[in-house]
């Protein structure tokens, strides 16, 4: 079995590669890396260079690998940054996905393609209509969300138009060891770890602490990717989430409970979004009924592991 993971040097990619190695050790795993990105794929897998925004580059990579399963993780993923670079986000997330799918089609590859969509595509769903199901309309509020909605719909079109076995995962918030600091839980953990080591003053910059989110451990998410590829129904979209309502304030409190530092919490205006979603909680029953997946790792463990990872990194 030949497997290609785009975005292998990102947050989820290395976790997914490790999961595949333990679940399907016979698989030949390749990681698509962007030549302009200095980050490297895990040493345990083969890597090949490619630029999703350059279709000839994508064709050369896929023609060499000839994958049977593709996990499309590569993306421009910061909601905040998307307001400054909306065109770039559309190019990477929507056009890049079309380039990938078009190459799969024109090369005649019989590959299952699992595409990483986002719960941000749902927008500000009224709280009384949550947890959100896959039937909820796509009403994106940010340039990032709009680019992911375009990606999501285009992926469905390749199933309906060409019969390509695509599966979309609409991922709600996920975190854990290795998460970059532009994401809220990792930002808090990184700041706490620096304060513990005396590298920063005891002032902790925060965003909107009243927002409600649905957090899942990245290691549970990697199991979801594998099950989507092996048990998911082609053409379908699935929510991947914990269905737990957790305020950002609660996330901060749980992280501080893992530490003995005293901090002064200060709202940083630069961390507030232009159009914030007050509550985003999903229903994963469709995916669970189809694949048997369930979130297993409690959030308190996830956050403790994240904080310890930052302590080691520093």
């Amino acid at each position: 079995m030949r497997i290609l993971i785009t975005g292998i040097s990102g947050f989820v990619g290395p976790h997914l590669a490790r999961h595949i190695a333990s679940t399907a050790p016979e698989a030949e795993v390749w990681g698509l890396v962007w030549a302009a990105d200095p980050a490297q794929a895990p040493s345990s897998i083969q890597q090949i260079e490619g630029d999703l925004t350059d279709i000839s580059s994508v064709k050369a990579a896929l023609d060499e690998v000839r994958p049977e399963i593709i996990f499309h993780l590569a993306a421009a993923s910061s909601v905040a940054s998307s307001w400054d670079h909306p065109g770039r986000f559309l190019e990477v997330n929507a056009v890049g996905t079309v380039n990938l799918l078009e190459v799969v089609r024109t090369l005649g590859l019989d590959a299952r393609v699992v595409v990483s969509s986002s719960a941000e595509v749902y927008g500000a769903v009224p709280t009384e209509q949550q947890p959100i199901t896959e039937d909820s309309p796509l009403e994106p509020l940010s340039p990032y969300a709009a680019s992911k909605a375009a990606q999501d719909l285009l992926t469905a079109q390749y199933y309906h138009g060409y019969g390509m076995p695509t599966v979309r995962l609409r991922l709600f918030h996920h975190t854990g060891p290795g998460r970059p600091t532009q994401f809220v839980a990792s930002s808090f953990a990184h700041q706490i770890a620096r304060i513990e080591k005396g590298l920063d003053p005891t002032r902790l910059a925060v965003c909107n602490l009243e927002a409600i989110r649905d957090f899942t451990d990245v290691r549970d998410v990697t199991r979801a990717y594998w099950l989507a590829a092996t048990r998911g129904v082609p053409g379908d979209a699935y929510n991947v989430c914990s269905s737990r309502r957790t305020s950002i304030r609660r996330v901060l409190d749980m992280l501080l409970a893992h530490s003995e530092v005293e901090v002064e919490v200060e709202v940083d205006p630069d961390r507030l979004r232009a159009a914030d979603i007050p509550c985003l909680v999903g229903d994963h029953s469709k995916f669970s009924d189809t694949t048997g997946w369930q979130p297993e790792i409690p959030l308190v463990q996830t956050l403790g592991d994240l904080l310890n990872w930052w302590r080691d990194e520093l």
Side-chain angles (χ1 to χ4, degrees):
M1 181 190 305
R2 296 168 70 85
I3 296 173
L4 177 68
I5 303 173
T6 74
I8 186 62
S9 57
F11 168 48
V12 178
H15 288 281
L16 179 56
R18 285 191 290 270
H19 180 73
I20 294 171
S22 63
T23 304
E26 74 286 356
E28 181 181 340
V29 183
W30 291 73
L32 185 71
V33 295
W34 186 32
D37 186 351
Q40 296 296 311
S43 59
S44 60
I45 70 171
Q46 303 175 78
Q47 64 183 49
I48 188 166
E49 289 187 357
D51 181 349
L52 288 167
T53 64
D54 178 356
I55 195 166
S56 62
S57 169
V58 178
K59 183 176 181 180
L62 266 64
D63 199 21
E64 179 174 341
V65 177
R66 311 292 296 190
E68 299 163 78
I69 296 175
I70 299 172
F71 293 102
H72 181 35
L73 277 57
S77 56
S78 169
V79 175
S81 296
S82 74
W83 291 97
D84 298 322
H85 309 285
R88 179 60 177 168
F89 275 70
L90 190 65
E91 180 184 24
V92 172
N93 295 341
V95 177
T97 299
V98 169
N99 287 343
L100 177 70
L101 296 174
E102 189 62 10
V103 167
V104 170
R105 184 183 72 84
T106 56
L107 288 178
L109 299 178
D110 184 21
R112 172 72 63 97
V113 186
V114 180
V115 174
S116 175
S117 184
S118 168
E120 291 279 339
V121 301
Y122 294 121
V125 178
T127 304
E128 62 271 16
Q129 296 177 23
Q130 300 196 39
I132 301 166
T133 69
E134 292 85 354
D135 294 329
S136 297
L138 307 190
E139 298 181 350
L141 291 184
S142 68
Y144 164 76
S147 71
K148 296 298 281 186
Q151 174 197 58
D152 193 300
L153 294 171
L154 287 162
T155 301
Q157 186 268 319
Y158 269 78
Y159 168 75
H160 293 295
Y162 303 113
M164 187 180 296
T166 60
V167 178
R168 291 158 286 154
L169 295 186
R170 293 175 182 164
L171 297 155
F172 285 68
H173 278 57
H174 49 291
T175 192
R179 189 64 157 160
T181 55
Q182 65 260 41
F183 299 96
V184 62
S186 195
S187 171
F188 293 166
H190 178 243
Q191 291 182 76
I192 291 169
R194 288 185 61 85
I195 291 170
E196 288 177 339
K197 293 184 178 295
L199 299 173
D200 284 339
T202 59
R203 185 172 62 254
L204 198 149
V206 302
C207 54
N208 175 18
L209 295 179
E210 306 313 314
I212 304 294
R213 294 295 182 264
D214 182 333
F215 287 90
T216 308
D217 191 288
V218 65
R219 292 157 291 193
D220 282 335
V221 166
T222 57
R223 290 191 300 105
Y225 274 110
W226 182 251
L227 290 170
T230 55
R231 301 183 188 177
V233 176
D236 270 2
Y238 299 103
N239 290 339
V240 176
C241 53
S242 68
S243 299
R244 297 179 301 226
R245 296 173 180 262
T246 306
S247 70
I248 302 302
R249 184 180 299 278
R250 178 61 179 150
V251 170
L252 177 58
D253 289 344
M254 283 192 278
L255 281 166
L256 289 173
H258 285 285
S259 177
E260 295 182 356
V261 296
E262 297 287 337
V263 302
E264 177 186 351
V265 175
E266 181 178 90
V267 175
D268 180 357
D270 290 338
R271 295 171 186 260
L272 301 177
R273 293 184 180 180
D276 202 6
I277 297 173
C279 182
L280 194 62
V281 178
D283 179 346
H284 61 76
S285 59
K286 177 182 175 182
F287 188 57
S288 296
D289 291 345
T290 302
T291 67
W293 179 86
Q294 291 287 340
E296 296 177 353
I297 301 174
L299 183 55
V300 65
Q301 177 185 337
T302 302
L303 295 175
D305 291 346
L306 173 60
L307 180 56
N308 284 331
W309 182 81
W310 273 118
R311 287 165 172 158
D312 291 342
E313 286 294 296
L314 294 176

